Amino acid sequence: MTATSPRRLHLNAFLMNAGHHDAAWRHPSTQPERVTDLRYFQQLAQTAERGLLDSVFLADGLALWGNARHNALGGFEPLTLLSALAAVTEHVGLIATVSTTFNEPFHTARKFASLDHISGGRAGWNIVTSGTVAEARNFGQDEHLDHRLRYERAREFVEVATKLWDSWEDDAILLDRERGVYADTDRVRAIEHRGEHFGVQGPLNVPRGPQGHPLLVQAGSSEDGKEFAAQYAEAVFTAQQTLADGQAFAKDLKARLPRYGRDENQLLVLPGIAPVIGSTETEARALERELTELQIPEYGLAQLSGMLGVDLTGLPLDGPLPELPEERDINGNKSRFTLVADLARREGLTVRQLIARLGSGRGHRVFAGTPEQIADELEVWFTEGAADGFNIMPPLLPSGLEDFVDQVVPILQRRGLFRTEYTGRTLREHYGLARPANRPAAAAVAEGRPA
């Protein structure tokens, strides 16, 4: 966005197997048998591109989330899948979730640089620190790293990855057949990183990508998460239930940017929203009820237990939540714990009601209505300072994404809130974000040395 261009919404399609509702796989409009069918995801990505969305986004965890007895769980590793989606799309961005707790910077930097080249500059990295003991136990650890230590590791991890992407200058490849020189090795540098968590010599074995660095996304909203986002993130995927909470989060996050030499245009706040779309409000509410009736209480109770870090097995479904620990004592996803606990307290929900409320969005806002009402809701959050755009989480796939693209997007376009064509090729261009300079080369120029 330039000083003279209008501010426009940014919209991502958050793809999750049969859909985001935990009973989606039971609904007759979904295709749970296709969750490991490449063509299914290619069709979803093409639908997102037809709607001119900024990107498709894939969450990920390093353990099986939930009980596969009651949900269509498991699926593709996201970077592998996005490489295949790149081959059948031209514009839509491709954002993968990768953990900094159970990976290493070198191979992570290499994979994202590869995806950026494969896609022509459409790669994005959703940086997570992982939040469950189950993940730790898949990597030889009995317990999860402390929340603070996970973020310390994440900071160094991103610093190392950034150095690796910058280890090749943009003009390092000469292709001088006459002299037999493929690359100027003065422009391909080791990074010689030695830190508390990592020792990496470098350089990377993939040249610098079309975007310089993939788009950096972050999804934590705890204090540690917000500070990390203010320092590194260019987009934040977040969850708020009310407009006031969304406004407060965006204001707080953007107020932290100046201490890192950044301004508010360098970071986009994108809350998740699960739109339940009907031709009338009555129809949308009926679909919402239909999905609730398909829920398996046992599954919802286990999911709620994981969010709160408290075993709720055997708890009466029509009673209130038990007394919960303080956020400071939670070593998992602190921000999601707080959101769910506050939602239950604020609205006086029973356990059964809370499970129903979390079915579509796992804490993200769920909104049922007509396409016009969905557009109204997005516009209010956008114009009132609670969002720069949204992570669209269709409760049902493929129908929920198709309905959003075909029915909601045209309304946003008519209101001048969303693009009517792609004007750039890279994900950074879709987001209106600058391509980062190569830091070692820039430093050399500043010091008067040859770049």
Side-chain angles (χ1 to χ4, degrees):
M1 183 180 71
T2 67
T4 56
S5 63
R7 180 169 171 258
R8 292 238 168 88
L9 278 164
H10 297 282
L11 300 173
N12 301 314
F14 182 174
L15 305 181
M16 183 169 281
N17 286 1
H20 280 269
H21 198 282
D22 58 36
W25 70 278
R26 300 185 69 196
H27 195 274
S29 71
T30 64
Q31 302 169 3
E33 70 279 5
R34 299 186 68 195
V35 300
T36 51
D37 177 351
L38 172 60
R39 184 61 185 149
Y40 171 68
F41 283 96
Q42 288 178 327
Q43 289 166 349
L44 292 173
Q46 289 168 334
T47 298
E49 184 161 271
R50 177 164 58 80
L52 306 176
L53 304 194
D54 293 68
S55 76
V56 296
F57 162 59
L58 300 176
D60 193 42
L62 296 169
L64 185 63
W65 283 343
N67 186 346
R69 179 177 178 84
H70 299 306
N71 201 352
L73 303 173
F76 293 121
E77 186 281 319
L79 281 163
T80 307
L81 175 56
L82 291 176
S83 294
L85 301 188
V88 298
T89 56
E90 295 183 12
H91 296 282
V92 72
L94 306 164
I95 300 178
T97 298
V98 173
S99 170
T100 59
T101 303
F102 301 114
N103 284 290
E104 290 290 321
F106 188 92
H107 71 235
T108 299
R110 184 188 190 199
K111 290 174 183 178
F112 276 106
S114 298
L115 179 60
D116 208 43
H117 281 288
I118 289 168
S119 65
R122 294 185 279 143
W125 174 17
N126 179 41
I127 305 161
V128 299
T129 63
S130 297
T132 69
V133 173
E135 291 170 290
R137 291 175 180 168
N138 283 337
F139 291 85
Q141 300 176 23
D142 292 330
E143 296 297 333
H144 208 0
L145 283 178
D146 179 76
H147 190 272
R148 179 184 57 82
L149 290 176
R150 297 203 303 271
Y151 272 100
E152 288 180 4
R153 177 184 167 95
R155 287 185 179 89
E156 187 177 342
F157 194 114
V158 174
E159 289 287 347
V160 175
T162 301
K163 290 178 183 178
L164 288 166
W165 291 320
D166 285 348
S167 63
W168 288 67
E169 293 186 25
D170 290 322
D171 56 357
I173 296 176
L174 301 180
L175 279 176
D176 189 333
R177 291 182 172 90
E178 185 74 22
R179 293 190 299 138
V181 178
Y182 174 73
D184 181 349
T185 48
D186 289 335
R187 298 176 187 271
V188 182
R189 302 180 177 91
I191 68 169
E192 303 291 357
H193 177 88
R194 294 294 179 270
E196 182 176 350
H197 300 280
F198 306 107
V200 181
Q201 178 176 318
L204 194 63
N205 55 354
V206 181
R208 200 166 193 255
Q211 294 187 110
H213 307 162
L215 182 83
L216 297 182
V217 183
Q218 189 265 354
S221 300
S222 66
E223 282 301 307
D224 286 331
K226 286 187 284 190
E227 204 61 29
F228 180 89
Q231 186 170 3
Y232 298 107
E234 295 164 299
V236 171
F237 294 160
T238 184
Q240 279 82 42
Q241 285 287 321
T242 69
L243 176 65
D245 286 347
Q247 290 169 322
F249 176 83
K251 182 178 180 181
D252 176 17
L253 185 57
K254 295 196 176 189
R256 300 172 189 243
L257 294 171
R259 73 185 69 164
Y260 300 106
R262 306 178 68 198
D263 66 56
E264 64 177 28
N265 292 322
Q266 293 176 289
L267 185 147
L268 301 171
V269 176
L270 307 171
I273 185 167
V276 183
I277 304 171
S279 58
T280 64
E281 185 175 350
T282 299
E283 184 180 300
R285 297 288 183 193
L287 176 57
E288 191 173 38
R289 286 194 302 274
E290 182 182 2
L291 289 170
T292 296
E293 289 165 3
L294 291 173
Q295 284 187 293
I296 305 294
E298 177 186 341
Y299 182 87
L301 195 63
Q303 182 172 252
L304 182 58
S305 296
M307 291 181 186
L308 296 175
V310 175
D311 185 1
L312 303 177
T313 304
L315 196 71
L317 293 177
D318 294 311
L321 284 177
E323 187 172 341
L324 298 175
E326 296 294 325
E327 182 190 294
R328 64 175 177 270
D329 298 322
I330 297 295
N331 193 36
N333 188 327
K334 289 180 181 287
S335 57
R336 194 56 51 89
F337 166 86
T338 300
L339 185 150
V340 172
D342 287 350
L343 173 63
R345 293 189 192 109
R346 182 174 63 245
E347 300 191 18
L349 301 176
T350 65
V351 172
R352 189 188 303 276
Q353 290 168 332
L354 188 56
I355 288 171
R357 287 290 295 275
L358 297 173
S360 282
R362 301 175 306 284
H364 292 276
R365 182 160 171 72
V366 179
F367 188 85
T370 65
E372 197 83 26
Q373 289 172 321
I374 302 291
D376 290 345
E377 186 73 2
L378 302 186
E379 182 173 4
V380 168
W381 280 56
F382 179 63
T383 57
E384 296 296 323
D388 296 299
F390 295 88
N391 227 7
I392 305 302
M393 303 166 57
L396 302 171
L397 287 172
S399 60
L401 180 59
E402 292 167 347
D403 288 346
F404 185 85
V405 162
D406 293 333
Q407 299 176 36
V408 180
V409 166
I411 297 170
L412 297 172
Q413 290 171 327
R414 287 197 296 271
R415 296 181 185 183
L417 295 171
F418 191 61
R419 66 172 64 88
T420 55
E421 63 179 345
Y422 286 113
T423 56
R425 291 281 304 184
T426 72
L427 180 52
R428 289 183 170 278
E429 288 171 334
H430 299 342
Y431 273 27
L433 296 170
R435 186 178 189 274
N438 185 298
R439 293 188 298 183
V445 170
E447 294 171 11
R449 296 182 282 111

